Amino acid sequence: MVVHHVNPGASQDSNIFLLMGSRTALIDTGTGNSSRKNIAVIRGLLGGRDLDMVILTHFHADHIGGLEDILNEFGSEAFAGAGDAPYILSGDPAYTLSEWFGRDTAPNEVTELMEGDTIDLGEHRLRVINTPGHTCGGICLYDEVTLSLFSGDTVFGYGIGRTDLPSGSARELVSSLKKLSGMDVRTLYPGHMDAVSDGNRAIRYGLSMMGGII
């Protein structure tokens, strides 16, 4: 599996990662404000191949705002954690925070992912891990072959996601980080900022930041 960072250096947009194995998957779609540029990059990387699926780590607009553009362009199927999927389906601005990013989040159909589901990319299989805290139904994706974790806004290389937004919970985030700390994570691909080569350290650091919450 090859991982391409579609939009390095993006400001408001989430990171967008294109995973290429026997099948292809896009993780998150940004705000949509740069969709034309991002789609051109994705098309170039695909080299004529189909984009088989789009996986959304959570429902905030900086991660799902470009979904409609991506689906219209590639005709892919979209997936999200079961807890967040209803808010993506409704495009509810109170939860997606679309007004923060200057773009409405249109309602979009998504298939629900459950804890322990696997996404088969051929040589690699991504395991779905429920990690609520930043949102009620956020997910991470773990590749047991490369020990890579696509963490959305649950944990970054040097920080953690906010818990003071609608459906967020500090206690749930602590539980999610504890769950992740029991795994072996080498490369961490977060929803913002750079990937890091010691995901275990990043998760421990995130837990230390939440140390006052039991």
Short mmCIF file of all heavy atoms in Angstrom, two decimals, residues 91-151:
data_model
loop_
_atom_site.label_atom_id
_atom_site.label_comp_id
_atom_site.label_asym_id
_atom_site.label_seq_id
_atom_site.Cartn_x
_atom_site.Cartn_y
_atom_site.Cartn_z
N GLY A 91 -26.08 16.63 7.14
CA GLY A 91 -25.33 17.86 6.92
C GLY A 91 -25.62 18.92 7.97
O GLY A 91 -25.43 20.11 7.72
N ASP A 92 -26.03 18.50 9.16
CA ASP A 92 -26.46 19.41 10.22
C ASP A 92 -25.34 20.39 10.59
O ASP A 92 -24.33 19.99 11.16
CB ASP A 92 -26.86 18.58 11.44
CG ASP A 92 -27.46 19.43 12.56
OD1 ASP A 92 -27.29 20.67 12.54
OD2 ASP A 92 -28.10 18.84 13.45
N PRO A 93 -25.50 21.69 10.29
CA PRO A 93 -24.42 22.65 10.54
C PRO A 93 -24.08 22.84 12.02
O PRO A 93 -22.97 23.27 12.35
CB PRO A 93 -24.93 23.94 9.92
CG PRO A 93 -26.42 23.81 9.91
CD PRO A 93 -26.68 22.35 9.69
N ALA A 94 -25.02 22.51 12.91
CA ALA A 94 -24.74 22.64 14.34
C ALA A 94 -23.65 21.66 14.77
O ALA A 94 -22.94 21.90 15.75
CB ALA A 94 -26.01 22.37 15.15
N TYR A 95 -23.52 20.56 14.03
CA TYR A 95 -22.51 19.57 14.34
C TYR A 95 -21.32 19.62 13.38
O TYR A 95 -20.17 19.48 13.79
CB TYR A 95 -23.13 18.16 14.34
CG TYR A 95 -24.02 17.93 15.53
CD1 TYR A 95 -25.36 18.31 15.51
CD2 TYR A 95 -23.51 17.37 16.70
CE1 TYR A 95 -26.17 18.13 16.62
CE2 TYR A 95 -24.32 17.18 17.81
CZ TYR A 95 -25.64 17.57 17.77
OH TYR A 95 -26.43 17.39 18.87
N THR A 96 -21.59 19.85 12.10
CA THR A 96 -20.49 19.87 11.13
C THR A 96 -19.65 21.13 11.25
O THR A 96 -18.51 21.17 10.78
CB THR A 96 -21.02 19.77 9.69
OG1 THR A 96 -21.78 20.94 9.36
CG2 THR A 96 -21.87 18.51 9.50
N LEU A 97 -20.22 22.19 11.85
CA LEU A 97 -19.53 23.48 12.02
C LEU A 97 -19.18 24.11 10.67
O LEU A 97 -18.16 24.78 10.52
CB LEU A 97 -18.26 23.31 12.87
CG LEU A 97 -18.43 22.59 14.21
CD1 LEU A 97 -17.08 22.43 14.90
CD2 LEU A 97 -19.41 23.34 15.11
N SER A 98 -20.06 23.93 9.70
CA SER A 98 -19.77 24.39 8.35
C SER A 98 -19.58 25.90 8.28
O SER A 98 -18.80 26.39 7.45
CB SER A 98 -20.89 23.96 7.41
OG SER A 98 -22.16 24.42 7.86
N GLU A 99 -20.26 26.65 9.16
CA GLU A 99 -20.13 28.11 9.10
C GLU A 99 -18.71 28.55 9.44
O GLU A 99 -18.28 29.64 9.04
CB GLU A 99 -21.14 28.78 10.05
CG GLU A 99 -20.88 28.56 11.53
CD GLU A 99 -21.43 27.26 12.08
OE1 GLU A 99 -21.88 26.41 11.27
OE2 GLU A 99 -21.41 27.08 13.32
N TRP A 100 -17.97 27.73 10.15
CA TRP A 100 -16.58 28.07 10.47
C TRP A 100 -15.71 28.11 9.21
O TRP A 100 -14.67 28.77 9.20
CB TRP A 100 -15.99 27.04 11.43
CG TRP A 100 -16.51 27.10 12.83
CD1 TRP A 100 -17.66 27.69 13.28
CD2 TRP A 100 -15.87 26.55 13.99
NE1 TRP A 100 -17.80 27.52 14.62
CE2 TRP A 100 -16.71 26.83 15.09
CE3 TRP A 100 -14.70 25.83 14.20
CZ2 TRP A 100 -16.40 26.42 16.39
CZ3 TRP A 100 -14.39 25.42 15.48
CH2 TRP A 100 -15.23 25.72 16.56
N PHE A 101 -16.12 27.36 8.20
CA PHE A 101 -15.27 27.16 7.02
C PHE A 101 -15.85 27.77 5.75
O PHE A 101 -15.31 27.58 4.67
CB PHE A 101 -15.00 25.66 6.83
CG PHE A 101 -14.38 25.03 8.04
CD1 PHE A 101 -15.15 24.30 8.94
CD2 PHE A 101 -13.02 25.19 8.31
CE1 PHE A 101 -14.59 23.74 10.08
CE2 PHE A 101 -12.45 24.63 9.45
CZ PHE A 101 -13.24 23.91 10.33
N GLY A 102 -16.96 28.48 5.90
CA GLY A 102 -17.50 29.23 4.78
C GLY A 102 -18.08 28.39 3.66
O GLY A 102 -18.11 28.83 2.51
N ARG A 103 -18.57 27.20 4.00
CA ARG A 103 -19.12 26.33 2.95
C ARG A 103 -20.14 25.40 3.58
O ARG A 103 -19.87 24.76 4.59
CB ARG A 103 -18.00 25.53 2.30
CG ARG A 103 -18.45 24.65 1.14
CD ARG A 103 -17.26 23.88 0.58
NE ARG A 103 -17.64 22.90 -0.42
CZ ARG A 103 -17.56 23.09 -1.72
NH1 ARG A 103 -17.10 24.22 -2.17
NH2 ARG A 103 -17.92 22.15 -2.57
N ASP A 104 -21.34 25.34 2.99
CA ASP A 104 -22.35 24.43 3.50
C ASP A 104 -21.91 22.98 3.32
O ASP A 104 -21.22 22.64 2.35
CB ASP A 104 -23.68 24.63 2.76
CG ASP A 104 -24.33 25.97 3.09
OD1 ASP A 104 -24.02 26.51 4.17
OD2 ASP A 104 -25.13 26.45 2.27
N THR A 105 -22.32 22.15 4.27
CA THR A 105 -22.07 20.71 4.13
C THR A 105 -23.35 20.06 3.64
O THR A 105 -24.31 19.92 4.40
CB THR A 105 -21.62 20.10 5.46
OG1 THR A 105 -22.47 20.58 6.52
CG2 THR A 105 -20.19 20.46 5.78
N ALA A 106 -23.36 19.68 2.38
CA ALA A 106 -24.55 19.08 1.79
C ALA A 106 -24.78 17.69 2.38
O ALA A 106 -23.82 16.99 2.72
CB ALA A 106 -24.37 18.97 0.28
N PRO A 107 -26.04 17.29 2.53
CA PRO A 107 -26.30 15.92 2.96
C PRO A 107 -25.72 14.92 1.96
O PRO A 107 -25.85 15.10 0.75
CB PRO A 107 -27.83 15.85 2.98
CG PRO A 107 -28.29 17.28 3.09
CD PRO A 107 -27.27 18.07 2.33
N ASN A 108 -25.08 13.89 2.46
CA ASN A 108 -24.50 12.86 1.60
C ASN A 108 -24.73 11.49 2.20
O ASN A 108 -24.65 11.30 3.42
CB ASN A 108 -22.99 13.08 1.43
CG ASN A 108 -22.67 14.16 0.41
OD1 ASN A 108 -22.80 13.95 -0.78
ND2 ASN A 108 -22.26 15.32 0.89
N GLU A 109 -25.01 10.53 1.33
CA GLU A 109 -25.19 9.15 1.76
C GLU A 109 -23.84 8.58 2.19
O GLU A 109 -22.83 8.76 1.50
CB GLU A 109 -25.76 8.31 0.63
CG GLU A 109 -27.18 8.67 0.22
CD GLU A 109 -28.21 8.18 1.24
OE1 GLU A 109 -27.85 7.30 2.06
OE2 GLU A 109 -29.34 8.67 1.21
N VAL A 110 -23.83 7.89 3.31
CA VAL A 110 -22.63 7.20 3.78
C VAL A 110 -23.02 5.84 4.33
O VAL A 110 -24.10 5.66 4.89
CB VAL A 110 -21.87 8.00 4.87
CG1 VAL A 110 -21.20 9.22 4.28
CG2 VAL A 110 -22.78 8.38 6.01
N THR A 111 -22.12 4.89 4.17
CA THR A 111 -22.29 3.56 4.75
C THR A 111 -21.63 3.54 6.11
O THR A 111 -20.50 4.01 6.27
CB THR A 111 -21.66 2.49 3.84
OG1 THR A 111 -22.32 2.51 2.56
CG2 THR A 111 -21.77 1.11 4.45
N GLU A 112 -22.33 3.00 7.10
CA GLU A 112 -21.83 3.01 8.47
C GLU A 112 -20.74 1.95 8.67
O GLU A 112 -20.87 0.82 8.20
CB GLU A 112 -22.97 2.76 9.45
CG GLU A 112 -23.99 3.88 9.48
CD GLU A 112 -25.08 3.64 10.53
OE1 GLU A 112 -25.07 2.55 11.15
OE2 GLU A 112 -25.91 4.54 10.72
N LEU A 113 -19.70 2.35 9.39
CA LEU A 113 -18.63 1.43 9.79
C LEU A 113 -18.74 1.17 11.28
O LEU A 113 -19.00 2.08 12.06
CB LEU A 113 -17.27 2.03 9.47
CG LEU A 113 -16.92 2.22 8.00
CD1 LEU A 113 -15.64 3.04 7.85
CD2 LEU A 113 -16.78 0.87 7.29
N MET A 114 -18.50 -0.09 11.66
CA MET A 114 -18.60 -0.49 13.05
C MET A 114 -17.22 -0.89 13.57
O MET A 114 -16.32 -1.25 12.80
CB MET A 114 -19.55 -1.68 13.20
CG MET A 114 -20.92 -1.47 12.56
SD MET A 114 -21.85 -0.09 13.27
CE MET A 114 -22.21 -0.77 14.89
N GLU A 115 -17.06 -0.83 14.89
CA GLU A 115 -15.83 -1.29 15.54
C GLU A 115 -15.44 -2.68 15.04
O GLU A 115 -16.26 -3.60 15.02
CB GLU A 115 -16.03 -1.33 17.06
CG GLU A 115 -14.90 -1.95 17.83
CD GLU A 115 -13.76 -0.98 18.11
OE1 GLU A 115 -13.97 0.25 17.96
OE2 GLU A 115 -12.67 -1.44 18.47
N GLY A 116 -14.18 -2.81 14.61
CA GLY A 116 -13.67 -4.09 14.17
C GLY A 116 -13.91 -4.40 12.70
O GLY A 116 -13.36 -5.39 12.19
N ASP A 117 -14.71 -3.59 12.00
CA ASP A 117 -14.85 -3.79 10.55
C ASP A 117 -13.48 -3.68 9.89
O ASP A 117 -12.60 -2.96 10.37
CB ASP A 117 -15.78 -2.73 9.94
CG ASP A 117 -17.25 -3.01 10.19
OD1 ASP A 117 -17.57 -4.09 10.69
OD2 ASP A 117 -18.08 -2.12 9.88
N THR A 118 -13.31 -4.37 8.79
CA THR A 118 -12.06 -4.27 8.04
C THR A 118 -12.34 -3.79 6.62
O THR A 118 -13.35 -4.15 6.02
CB THR A 118 -11.30 -5.60 7.99
OG1 THR A 118 -12.16 -6.62 7.44
CG2 THR A 118 -10.85 -6.03 9.37
N ILE A 119 -11.44 -2.97 6.13
CA ILE A 119 -11.54 -2.43 4.77
C ILE A 119 -10.40 -3.03 3.98
O ILE A 119 -9.23 -2.79 4.27
CB ILE A 119 -11.45 -0.90 4.81
CG1 ILE A 119 -12.63 -0.33 5.62
CG2 ILE A 119 -11.44 -0.32 3.39
CD1 ILE A 119 -12.44 1.10 6.05
N ASP A 120 -10.74 -3.82 3.00
CA ASP A 120 -9.77 -4.61 2.26
C ASP A 120 -9.24 -3.81 1.07
O ASP A 120 -9.98 -3.47 0.15
CB ASP A 120 -10.43 -5.91 1.78
CG ASP A 120 -9.44 -6.89 1.18
OD1 ASP A 120 -8.25 -6.55 1.06
OD2 ASP A 120 -9.86 -8.00 0.82
N LEU A 121 -7.95 -3.50 1.11
CA LEU A 121 -7.31 -2.80 -0.01
C LEU A 121 -6.42 -3.74 -0.82
O LEU A 121 -5.65 -3.30 -1.65
CB LEU A 121 -6.47 -1.62 0.51
CG LEU A 121 -7.25 -0.51 1.21
CD1 LEU A 121 -6.30 0.59 1.66
CD2 LEU A 121 -8.34 0.05 0.32
N GLY A 122 -6.54 -5.03 -0.56
CA GLY A 122 -5.72 -6.00 -1.27
C GLY A 122 -4.62 -6.50 -0.36
O GLY A 122 -4.85 -7.35 0.50
N GLU A 123 -3.43 -5.94 -0.52
CA GLU A 123 -2.30 -6.37 0.31
C GLU A 123 -2.44 -5.92 1.76
O GLU A 123 -1.77 -6.44 2.65
CB GLU A 123 -0.99 -5.80 -0.25
CG GLU A 123 -0.69 -6.18 -1.70
CD GLU A 123 -1.34 -5.24 -2.70
OE1 GLU A 123 -2.20 -4.42 -2.29
OE2 GLU A 123 -0.99 -5.35 -3.89
N HIS A 124 -3.31 -4.95 2.01
CA HIS A 124 -3.47 -4.38 3.34
C HIS A 124 -4.94 -4.32 3.69
O HIS A 124 -5.80 -4.16 2.83
CB HIS A 124 -2.86 -2.97 3.41
CG HIS A 124 -1.39 -2.93 3.15
ND1 HIS A 124 -0.47 -2.80 4.16
CD2 HIS A 124 -0.68 -3.02 2.00
CE1 HIS A 124 0.75 -2.81 3.64
NE2 HIS A 124 0.65 -2.93 2.34
N ARG A 125 -5.21 -4.47 4.98
CA ARG A 125 -6.58 -4.38 5.49
C ARG A 125 -6.60 -3.37 6.63
O ARG A 125 -5.83 -3.50 7.59
CB ARG A 125 -7.06 -5.75 5.98
CG ARG A 125 -7.27 -6.75 4.84
CD ARG A 125 -7.30 -8.17 5.38
NE ARG A 125 -8.41 -8.40 6.27
CZ ARG A 125 -9.62 -8.80 5.88
NH1 ARG A 125 -9.87 -8.99 4.60
NH2 ARG A 125 -10.58 -9.02 6.76
N LEU A 126 -7.44 -2.37 6.50
CA LEU A 126 -7.57 -1.35 7.53
C LEU A 126 -8.65 -1.77 8.53
O LEU A 126 -9.78 -2.07 8.14
CB LEU A 126 -7.97 -0.01 6.91
CG LEU A 126 -7.03 0.57 5.86
CD1 LEU A 126 -7.63 1.86 5.30
CD2 LEU A 126 -5.65 0.83 6.44
N ARG A 127 -8.30 -1.80 9.81
CA ARG A 127 -9.25 -2.14 10.86
C ARG A 127 -9.84 -0.87 11.44
O ARG A 127 -9.13 0.09 11.76
CB ARG A 127 -8.57 -2.97 11.95
CG ARG A 127 -9.47 -3.30 13.13
CD ARG A 127 -8.98 -4.51 13.89
NE ARG A 127 -7.61 -4.38 14.34
CZ ARG A 127 -7.27 -3.90 15.53
NH1 ARG A 127 -8.19 -3.45 16.37
NH2 ARG A 127 -6.00 -3.84 15.89
N VAL A 128 -11.16 -0.85 11.56
CA VAL A 128 -11.88 0.31 12.08
C VAL A 128 -11.85 0.27 13.60
O VAL A 128 -12.19 -0.74 14.23
CB VAL A 128 -13.34 0.31 11.59
CG1 VAL A 128 -14.12 1.48 12.22
CG2 VAL A 128 -13.39 0.40 10.06
N ILE A 129 -11.43 1.39 14.20
CA ILE A 129 -11.38 1.53 15.65
C ILE A 129 -12.25 2.71 16.05
O ILE A 129 -12.00 3.84 15.62
CB ILE A 129 -9.93 1.75 16.13
CG1 ILE A 129 -9.02 0.62 15.62
CG2 ILE A 129 -9.87 1.83 17.65
CD1 ILE A 129 -7.56 0.93 15.77
N ASN A 130 -13.27 2.47 16.83
CA ASN A 130 -14.11 3.56 17.32
C ASN A 130 -13.31 4.39 18.34
O ASN A 130 -12.82 3.84 19.33
CB ASN A 130 -15.37 3.03 17.98
CG ASN A 130 -16.37 2.48 16.99
OD1 ASN A 130 -16.31 2.79 15.80
ND2 ASN A 130 -17.29 1.66 17.46
N THR A 131 -13.21 5.68 18.09
CA THR A 131 -12.45 6.56 19.00
C THR A 131 -13.25 7.84 19.27
O THR A 131 -12.86 8.93 18.86
CB THR A 131 -11.07 6.89 18.43
OG1 THR A 131 -11.22 7.40 17.08
CG2 THR A 131 -10.17 5.67 18.42
N PRO A 132 -14.37 7.74 19.97
CA PRO A 132 -15.13 8.94 20.30
C PRO A 132 -14.35 9.84 21.24
O PRO A 132 -13.41 9.40 21.91
CB PRO A 132 -16.38 8.38 20.98
CG PRO A 132 -15.95 7.06 21.56
CD PRO A 132 -14.96 6.52 20.56
N GLY A 133 -14.76 11.08 21.30
CA GLY A 133 -14.11 12.07 22.16
C GLY A 133 -14.05 13.41 21.47
O GLY A 133 -14.55 14.41 21.99
N HIS A 134 -13.46 13.45 20.29
CA HIS A 134 -13.48 14.68 19.49
C HIS A 134 -14.88 14.87 18.93
O HIS A 134 -15.43 15.97 18.92
CB HIS A 134 -12.43 14.59 18.39
CG HIS A 134 -12.33 15.81 17.54
ND1 HIS A 134 -12.03 17.06 18.03
CD2 HIS A 134 -12.51 15.98 16.19
CE1 HIS A 134 -12.03 17.94 17.05
NE2 HIS A 134 -12.33 17.32 15.92
N THR A 135 -15.47 13.78 18.42
CA THR A 135 -16.89 13.71 18.09
C THR A 135 -17.42 12.40 18.65
O THR A 135 -16.65 11.53 19.07
CB THR A 135 -17.14 13.75 16.56
OG1 THR A 135 -16.54 12.59 15.95
CG2 THR A 135 -16.58 15.01 15.93
N CYS A 136 -18.73 12.24 18.63
CA CYS A 136 -19.33 11.06 19.25
C CYS A 136 -19.04 9.77 18.49
O CYS A 136 -19.09 8.69 19.07
CB CYS A 136 -20.83 11.24 19.39
SG CYS A 136 -21.71 11.52 17.83
N GLY A 137 -18.75 9.87 17.20
CA GLY A 137 -18.56 8.67 16.40
C GLY A 137 -17.31 8.69 15.55
O GLY A 137 -17.26 8.06 14.48
N GLY A 138 -16.27 9.40 16.02
CA GLY A 138 -15.02 9.43 15.27
C GLY A 138 -14.36 8.06 15.21
O GLY A 138 -14.54 7.22 16.10
N ILE A 139 -13.61 7.82 14.16
CA ILE A 139 -12.92 6.55 14.00
C ILE A 139 -11.45 6.78 13.64
O ILE A 139 -11.08 7.82 13.11
CB ILE A 139 -13.56 5.65 12.91
CG1 ILE A 139 -13.55 6.36 11.54
CG2 ILE A 139 -14.97 5.24 13.31
CD1 ILE A 139 -13.97 5.47 10.37
N CYS A 140 -10.64 5.78 13.95
CA CYS A 140 -9.29 5.67 13.43
C CYS A 140 -9.22 4.40 12.57
O CYS A 140 -10.06 3.51 12.69
CB CYS A 140 -8.26 5.57 14.55
SG CYS A 140 -8.12 7.05 15.58
N LEU A 141 -8.22 4.34 11.71
CA LEU A 141 -8.03 3.20 10.82
C LEU A 141 -6.62 2.68 11.01
O LEU A 141 -5.65 3.44 10.90
CB LEU A 141 -8.26 3.62 9.36
CG LEU A 141 -9.65 4.21 9.08
CD1 LEU A 141 -9.65 4.97 7.77
CD2 LEU A 141 -10.71 3.11 9.05
N TYR A 142 -6.49 1.37 11.27
CA TYR A 142 -5.21 0.78 11.62
C TYR A 142 -4.82 -0.29 10.61
O TYR A 142 -5.59 -1.21 10.34
CB TYR A 142 -5.29 0.16 13.01
CG TYR A 142 -3.99 -0.43 13.54
CD1 TYR A 142 -2.86 0.37 13.71
CD2 TYR A 142 -3.92 -1.77 13.89
CE1 TYR A 142 -1.68 -0.16 14.21
CE2 TYR A 142 -2.75 -2.32 14.40
CZ TYR A 142 -1.63 -1.50 14.56
OH TYR A 142 -0.46 -2.04 15.05
N ASP A 143 -3.63 -0.14 10.05
CA ASP A 143 -3.08 -1.13 9.12
C ASP A 143 -2.12 -2.03 9.90
O ASP A 143 -1.04 -1.59 10.30
CB ASP A 143 -2.36 -0.43 7.97
CG ASP A 143 -1.67 -1.42 7.04
OD1 ASP A 143 -2.06 -2.60 7.03
OD2 ASP A 143 -0.72 -1.01 6.34
N GLU A 144 -2.50 -3.28 10.11
CA GLU A 144 -1.69 -4.19 10.91
C GLU A 144 -0.44 -4.67 10.19
O GLU A 144 0.43 -5.28 10.81
CB GLU A 144 -2.55 -5.37 11.36
CG GLU A 144 -3.67 -4.95 12.30
CD GLU A 144 -4.55 -6.10 12.75
OE1 GLU A 144 -4.43 -7.19 12.16
OE2 GLU A 144 -5.34 -5.91 13.69
N VAL A 145 -0.34 -4.42 8.89
CA VAL A 145 0.86 -4.82 8.14
C VAL A 145 1.98 -3.81 8.40
O VAL A 145 3.10 -4.17 8.77
CB VAL A 145 0.56 -4.93 6.64
CG1 VAL A 145 1.84 -5.26 5.86
CG2 VAL A 145 -0.49 -6.01 6.39
N THR A 146 1.69 -2.53 8.21
CA THR A 146 2.71 -1.49 8.39
C THR A 146 2.67 -0.86 9.77
O THR A 146 3.50 0.00 10.08
CB THR A 146 2.53 -0.38 7.33
OG1 THR A 146 1.24 0.22 7.51
CG2 THR A 146 2.64 -0.95 5.92
N LEU A 147 1.68 -1.25 10.59
CA LEU A 147 1.49 -0.67 11.93
C LEU A 147 1.26 0.84 11.84
O LEU A 147 1.73 1.61 12.66
CB LEU A 147 2.68 -0.98 12.84
CG LEU A 147 3.09 -2.45 12.97
CD1 LEU A 147 4.25 -2.61 13.93
CD2 LEU A 147 1.90 -3.31 13.40
N SER A 148 0.51 1.23 10.82
CA SER A 148 0.18 2.63 10.60
C SER A 148 -1.22 2.93 11.12
O SER A 148 -2.12 2.08 11.02
CB SER A 148 0.23 2.97 9.10
OG SER A 148 1.53 2.75 8.58
N LEU A 149 -1.40 4.13 11.64
CA LEU A 149 -2.70 4.55 12.15
C LEU A 149 -3.09 5.87 11.50
O LEU A 149 -2.34 6.85 11.55
CB LEU A 149 -2.65 4.73 13.67
CG LEU A 149 -3.99 5.06 14.33
CD1 LEU A 149 -4.89 3.83 14.37
CD2 LEU A 149 -3.78 5.60 15.74
N PHE A 150 -4.27 5.88 10.89
CA PHE A 150 -4.87 7.11 10.37
C PHE A 150 -5.83 7.59 11.45
O PHE A 150 -6.88 6.99 11.68
CB PHE A 150 -5.57 6.83 9.04
CG PHE A 150 -4.62 6.36 7.97
CD1 PHE A 150 -4.31 5.01 7.84
CD2 PHE A 150 -4.01 7.26 7.12
CE1 PHE A 150 -3.42 4.57 6.88
CE2 PHE A 150 -3.11 6.84 6.15
CZ PHE A 150 -2.81 5.48 6.03
N SER A 151 -5.45 8.68 12.13
CA SER A 151 -6.06 9.00 13.41
C SER A 151 -7.07 10.14 13.38
O SER A 151 -7.62 10.49 14.43
CB SER A 151 -4.96 9.33 14.43
OG SER A 151 -4.23 10.48 14.03
#
